[in-house]
Amino acid sequence: MLKIAPSILSADFANLGAEIERIQAAGADLIHVDVMDGHFVPNITIGPLVVSAIKPKAKLPIDVHLMISEPDRYLDAFKDAGADIITVHAEAVHHLHRTLSYIRSLGVKAGVALNPSTPESAVDYVLEQVDMIVVMTVNPGFGGQSYIHAMDEKIKRIRQKIDEKGLQIDIEVDGGVNEKTISRIIEAGANVVVAGSAFFGSQDPNAFVQSLRRHERP
Ligand code: DX5
Ligand code: ZN
């Protein structure tokens, strides 16, 4: 079952409440929140305050993607703000096993994201601690970038690892997802896709969500 996670990075921040409703009315599955600190990535976005502001309107799980250095310092704050999934970058933490275990201990799903240049072996020894692996298919920091085709192989290899071990781990693809790239992403083995610019730039978000679902595996 394909899960679609529109990213509010491309939403109209002056009308965030209405944008959350737009995501929900379109039949999406998750609300993806991109947190950037101007240090781990060049851009700065939002913090826990915005997550707590959207929480009362959110009927869907809130999928928080932390593109920040030292994410351990903010895990409690994002949990308290209402995050349902918290993803940290493997490149941003020293003790990934500890960080993922801590996220789970908060009663939140734990995700790990890999930058395009990070090999998939970075998750080999944390597969038992993780609920979702996020394959970055652009260099994180900005919406609207082009999908890096070399990432197909990484998605496939991660899917193979998970299936071989019989684990239930979601593979989320983040960056450059649109009606043109979706088929190769699903073919490679992802089951969750983030869509920022393609979702919010669409004239008809409902039709956009349905068009992604048409590529779902039978
Ligand atoms: C990139 C963010 C993405 C971004 C995707 O740094 O992590 O979630 O919003 O945007 P699009 O879908 O426009 O590539
Ligand atoms: Zn993201």
Side-chain angles (χ1 to χ4, degrees), residues 5-10 32-36 41 43 65 67 89 134 136-147 172-178 194-199:
S7 164
I8 62 165
L9 186 62
S10 295
H32 187 83
V33 178
D34 285 309
V35 177
M36 306 185 188
V41 290
N43 200 3
H65 178 194
M67 287 162 276
H89 267 262
V134 182
M136 293 307 301
T137 44
V138 297
N139 287 291
F142 303 95
Q145 304 181 79
S146 299
Y147 182 87
E172 178 177 81
V173 162
D174 189 359
V177 175
N178 56 40
V194 176
S197 53
F199 178 87

Side-chain angles (χ1 to χ4, degrees), residues 69-73 75 88-104 110-112 122-123 125-126 129:
S69 303
E70 297 188 60
D72 301 274
R73 295 170 59 197
L75 300 175
V88 297
H89 267 262
E91 307 84 4
V93 296
H94 293 298
H95 306 287
L96 185 57
H97 184 285
R98 176 185 286 152
T99 299
L100 295 171
S101 305
Y102 183 72
I103 295 171
R104 277 191 172 173
V112 57
V123 298
Y125 296 95
V126 292
Q129 282 68 43

Side-chain angles (χ1 to χ4, degrees), residues 35 53 60 65 74 92 120 128 135 141 178 185-186 192 201 210:
V35 177
L60 298 174
H65 178 194
Y74 299 96
E120 63 279 2
E128 304 284 343
V135 180
N178 56 40
I185 293 167
I186 292 176
V192 187
Q210 282 170 21

Side-chain angles (χ1 to χ4, degrees), residues 14-91:
N15 292 295
L16 208 43
E19 296 287 66
I20 297 301
E21 270 151 27
R22 184 141 71 119
I23 290 173
Q24 296 178 153
D29 304 281
L30 299 166
I31 299 166
H32 187 83
V33 178
D34 285 309
V35 177
M36 306 185 188
D37 65 352
H39 187 262
F40 181 72
V41 290
N43 200 3
I44 300 178
T45 56
I46 59 172
L49 198 64
V50 172
V51 175
S52 52
I54 64 175
K55 187 66 178 175
K57 292 198 181 276
K59 298 187 195 96
L60 298 174
I62 300 181
D63 172 26
V64 173
H65 178 194
L66 298 181
M67 287 162 276
I68 65 176
S69 303
E70 297 188 60
D72 301 274
R73 295 170 59 197
Y74 299 96
L75 300 175
D76 291 279
F78 280 101
K79 186 257 164 359
D80 293 346
D84 298 283
I85 306 169
I86 300 179
T87 294
V88 297
H89 267 262
E91 307 84 4

